[in-house]
Amino acid sequence: MKKTTNLPRLISQSTIQFTKEALRQPHYSLLDWLHGMIYGRWIYQYIAIGVGEHPLARLYTFLRKKARLLTDRANTTGGETRPTSSVADGYHGKVLPVQAATQLITINQEIKITNLEKVIPYPRARDIILQQPDHIVALECPCRSARSDPCLPLDVCLVVGEPFASFVIEHHPQRARWITPQEAVAILQAEHERGHVHHAFFKDAMLGRYYAICNCCSCCCGAMQAHQHGTPMLASSGYICEVDSELCFSCGACSERCPFQAISLQESGAVIDFDRCMGCGVCIDACLQGALSLRREASKGQPLEISPFCQ
């Protein structure tokens, strides 16, 4: 009779599935896989270091500066300077109005979109390949969790599809839970009402594709703070806020709500800073007069709207 054993599994099933998917990617290297494993398995430490809230953050900053100096020297030859890469090249978010975020979280079919250069204006990590899109996990936000006095609630990061959702559940069972698409929509709406921004996140180490929608506050979010300090980690929604001067009476509600500090007040009404506005739409519901709306702006890139790709 064949003996059965109860030996513990040395490699988790989600790690096996992630690795199998990684092997199918033509430009995904062993270093990319290792990076993905570290990011996914130790995401709280990874993000805490990145936002400066971990004891190793100072060492990381020192090493990053040294690496940047070496890279700059290597890229300068014969008096010519080649462009250097940025962390944003392979790790970035696309700003989404709440309607677009809802579309992305309620897809009921698998899709593959790889021609998003005009939507995700970065050299790497710009595909949407959704497998089992109804597999959604609510994860405690690593950025908020790193802060000493975070915004609440914590479980507002939505990890979407496989192999990412199962990986997060298996490696972070105390900080993640399975939810339905309807529950995900409720989280989106609640965060929108709190004045937080929806971002679809893409990362080279996460198979070079979209893997999560994060609902971000400017006080905790590392990407928003990096963006404000000159690292372009966020791409505009493709929209810009517009003010109806006949309806606006400079109450200031929109400027207080704007997470990108893109609205100022004058006697004539609210004024939108074109460069700062990311088209998130957070300000619109704050205006009780209905004086604000979003309009398409070609120079801000194309929106990420998933409906045209669905049959």
Side-chain angles (χ1 to χ4, degrees), residues 109-172:
Q109 65 184 74
E110 297 190 354
I111 60 173
K112 181 177 182 179
I113 313 170
T114 59
N115 56 343
L116 290 174
E117 291 86 353
K118 295 182 180 180
V119 180
I120 313 298
Y122 297 91
R124 304 191 305 278
R126 56 192 183 194
D127 295 344
I128 297 179
I129 302 175
L130 276 173
Q131 300 167 342
Q132 297 177 282
D134 58 334
H135 287 200
I136 305 174
V137 167
L139 175 70
E140 290 185 3
C141 173
C143 291
R144 294 187 190 184
S145 297
R147 310 298 183 176
S148 58
D149 185 23
C151 293
L152 298 175
L154 293 179
D155 56 344
V156 295
C157 287
L158 306 176
V159 182
V160 184
E162 297 297 353
F164 310 114
S166 292
F167 191 96
V168 166
I169 278 287
E170 195 158 7
H171 290 285
H172 305 285

Side-chain angles (χ1 to χ4, degrees), residues 61-89:
T61 301
F62 172 79
L63 293 175
R64 187 174 63 176
K65 288 180 178 178
K66 290 295 184 182
R68 186 175 300 167
L69 287 173
L70 292 173
T71 302
D72 289 344
R73 289 174 184 172
N75 286 337
T76 304
T77 56
E80 295 183 1
T81 301
R82 298 192 299 270
T84 58
S85 62
S86 162
V87 65
D89 290 348

Side-chain angles (χ1 to χ4, degrees), residues 254-270:
C254 58
S255 62
E256 292 178 3
R257 180 60 68 95
C258 178
F260 294 102
Q261 296 84 49
I263 305 178
S264 59
L265 296 179
Q266 296 182 1
E267 290 184 5
S268 60

